Amino acid sequence: MAVTAVRQLMGLPISVDLRDGTQRDADMVFDWLHEVDLRFSPFRLDSEVTRLGDGKIGADEISDDLRHVLALCETYENRSGGAFKVQLPGRKLDPNAVVKGWSVQRAADMLRAAGLSRFCINAGGDVVTAGEPADGQPWRVGIRHPDNSQQICLVLGVRNGAVATSAAYERGHHILDGRTGLPAFGLLSMTVHAPDLTTADAVATAAFAMGIDGVEWAASQPGCLVHAVDSNYRVFRSPELPVLA
């Protein structure tokens, strides 16, 4: 049985395409992501993240999930030399750069644990896949042009992997360079193909924050392939990237 469903969650459209699942499986994904939004949103006064940032709970009182997310944030802050940072002076704690990829990957893991092997979850353009939509065919993941939402730069063929893009075209210059506290510059878009969406999303965000130096850094991360466009419209692409068109 095939099921396709879309919900607006975590401030973005999330689609679930199940080729061997049921509506109950899709609802399981959406219920989990709704729970994540309630617990981790920095925009909710009662979320665990906000209460920790405001000092209403201590680090010894947080959930194992939040402890894991913050450990991931610290890992990428260290790996990026401080360009990736979830809390800058004068700003609230905001681990969203890791939360989205981590939570959607967790949803994919839940589907696999339920016995599903052919599916795709698309969270606002960040995608995790399993298997093939049809025998012999990969999932097709488009990467949009940084200046034109109607134009695709290329299409990737993805099986059992993930793709995430960081750019300024949807939300403006929302990614800050943690080393300066200023909007990141040097890149127009950074796309990372990785085995899982936790890695793809965190590496793409950290690399974008690093600027042009982030291209080589992202490509050096284990299991990661990149497609990047710099501010001069030069394109950088890993030769092994599974390009279809």
Side-chain angles (χ1 to χ4, degrees):
M1 180 178 178
V3 174
T4 302
V6 181
R7 298 265 184 91
Q8 188 79 16
L9 289 167
M10 300 165 62
L12 64 158
I14 297 177
S15 65
V16 177
D17 186 342
L18 311 178
R19 299 304 168 99
D20 58 352
T22 66
Q23 185 61 47
R24 179 176 294 180
D25 296 314
D27 289 342
M28 175 178 66
V29 169
F30 293 133
D31 289 347
W32 160 245
L33 295 177
H34 177 63
E35 177 189 340
V36 168
D37 193 30
L38 293 177
R39 292 170 55 195
F40 291 88
S41 172
F43 306 108
R44 295 179 181 273
L45 295 178
D46 59 345
S47 75
E48 188 177 7
V49 165
T50 298
R51 287 185 291 130
L52 175 64
D54 289 346
K56 294 180 180 177
I57 57 174
D60 58 337
E61 300 175 86
I62 62 176
S63 65
D64 288 343
D65 283 342
L66 181 54
R67 188 170 289 108
H68 177 64
V69 164
L70 293 177
L72 284 170
C73 292
E74 183 177 4
T75 294
Y76 283 100
E77 179 175 343
N78 292 334
R79 287 186 185 179
S80 67
F84 178 96
K85 191 169 290 186
V86 297
Q87 187 165 24
L88 298 173
R91 291 178 176 268
K92 60 188 176 183
L93 176 66
D94 182 0
N96 267 349
V98 165
V99 167
K100 183 174 71 166
W102 164 79
S103 63
V104 176
Q105 181 61 48
R106 175 75 71 85
D109 295 342
M110 292 165 64
L111 291 176
R112 286 192 177 93
L116 278 67
S117 60
R118 297 183 181 222
F119 60 82
C120 175
I121 306 176
N122 185 332
D126 293 344
V127 177
V128 59
T129 71
E132 300 176 329
D135 290 345
Q137 298 180 10
W139 294 94
R140 297 174 64 88
V141 180
I143 300 175
R144 64 156 280 186
H145 190 284
D147 282 347
N148 186 351
S149 62
Q150 306 302 312
Q151 184 177 345
I152 299 295
C153 286
L154 74 164
V155 176
L156 302 181
V158 185
R159 297 175 174 90
N160 297 309
V163 178
T165 298
S166 287
Y169 49 69
E170 290 290 350
R171 296 170 54 196
H173 294 283
H174 66 288
I175 299 176
L176 303 180
D177 182 341
R179 299 165 298 189
T180 65
L182 300 174
F185 67 93
L187 295 176
L188 297 179
S189 70
M190 165 59 71
T191 297
V192 175
H193 176 293
D196 64 273
L197 193 56
T198 305
T199 300
D201 196 22
V203 169
T205 304
F208 192 90
M210 294 173 72
I212 193 64
D213 292 339
V215 177
E216 183 176 353
W217 176 83
S220 73
Q221 299 304 297
C224 292
L225 304 172
V226 307
H227 177 275
V229 181
D230 74 6
S231 55
N232 294 315
Y233 293 91
R234 292 180 298 177
V235 176
F236 304 85
R237 182 190 301 176
S238 297
E240 305 88 354
L241 205 63
V243 178
L244 295 180

